[in-house]
Amino acid sequence: IHWKQWNYNLERIANNPYNTIAANNRYDLEYIKYFTSIKDVRYIPSLASYIPIHLTNYQPTKKQILLAPTRTINTYLCNQLYQTIYAHNVKQSTSE
């Protein structure tokens, strides 16, 4: 499986004190921490200066979030999500 090899290689790279492991978005940062043994991951945001300034102030107008299936389902993560939804009495909807 390719992603397992990628994680293994990244862990090997991280073991060298001259290397820094970084992510340019919070999702990738948390992915690295969760799926590898690497805990010291730096967040370095992208510059993206090509985006007009009026498009950079994201202010969502809805409280809904979209959850989509992935190649594999992490049972623990799904259970945590459903427990949180239930605990906060969040309305769920599905489209099937």
Side-chain angles (χ1 to χ4, degrees):
I1 299 175
H2 297 293
W3 62 267
K4 285 185 179 181
Q5 184 64 42
W6 185 88
N7 288 348
Y8 173 75
N9 288 338
L10 191 60
E11 288 171 344
R12 288 184 54 213
I13 292 167
N15 285 332
N16 183 327
Y18 292 104
N19 294 331
T20 299
I21 303 302
N24 71 339
N25 62 73
R26 297 284 182 191
Y27 178 88
D28 287 345
L29 183 140
E30 295 301 330
Y31 175 96
I32 293 169
K33 287 181 176 182
Y34 187 83
F35 288 105
T36 71
S37 62
I38 305 167
K39 301 304 173 208
D40 184 21
V41 182
R42 293 190 57 196
Y43 172 59
I44 303 174
S46 299
L47 176 58
S49 61
Y50 57 88
I51 299 175
I53 193 70
H54 72 279
L55 298 177
T56 61
N57 188 13
Y58 177 66
Q59 296 180 357
T61 58
K62 298 180 181 181
K63 293 184 178 184
Q64 293 95 343
I65 60 169
L66 172 64
L67 298 174
T70 61
R71 290 185 185 97
T72 59
I73 297 175
N74 182 310
T75 305
Y76 174 78
L77 187 60
C78 285
N79 288 338
Q80 291 294 309
L81 176 63
Y82 290 127
Q83 287 176 12
T84 302
I85 289 170
Y86 180 76
H88 294 280
N89 196 25
V90 175
K91 179 184 175 188
Q92 299 178 52
S93 64
T94 59
S95 61
E96 297 179 354

